[in-house]
Amino acid sequence: MGRRIAELRARSGRTQAEVAEALGTSVPNYQRIEHGQQNVTIRTMVRIANVIGARVAEFFQEPEAPTPEAPQRRRGRPRKRSVAG
């Protein structure tokens, strides 16, 4: 859901800082929402939707494509680096 919120925010032309300020929260806190590291209440979803001019239902749609601000994440454990020597 965070990637979709980031996509809709970018489409609205607003920055993370602008949305965070409108919500009355810090930029790092808002970034955690977009990165999927912060749980949000329905009330917060409604507030975000109002700020970016979207509907809450749009948050649950599949993201169209990864954005530079929210790139596609690789799942699983990072690969081990081989040690030359």
Side-chain angles (χ1 to χ4, degrees):
M1 180 179 5
R3 257 190 19 220
R4 182 65 176 156
I5 291 172
E7 184 178 275
L8 293 168
R9 176 194 48 78
R11 189 181 301 159
S12 76
R14 293 200 146 201
T15 65
Q16 290 179 333
E18 290 171 337
V19 175
E21 183 178 339
L23 295 174
T25 190
S26 67
V27 174
N29 189 46
Y30 180 74
Q31 288 172 332
R32 283 191 293 274
I33 292 170
E34 285 194 2
H35 290 130
Q37 300 169 339
Q38 175 88 19
N39 291 330
V40 292
T41 63
I42 293 172
R43 178 178 288 166
T44 301
M45 283 190 262
V46 169
R47 291 177 63 213
I48 293 170
N50 289 336
V51 170
I52 63 175
R55 296 181 336 223
V56 173
E58 292 179 90
F59 294 169
F60 297 96
Q61 296 172 352
E62 199 62 33
E64 292 176 9
T67 62
E69 292 183 28
Q72 182 77 28
R73 288 193 176 159
R74 296 181 71 169
R75 295 215 176 259
R77 182 178 296 176
R79 292 182 181 177
K80 291 184 180 179
R81 295 184 183 190
S82 60
V83 179

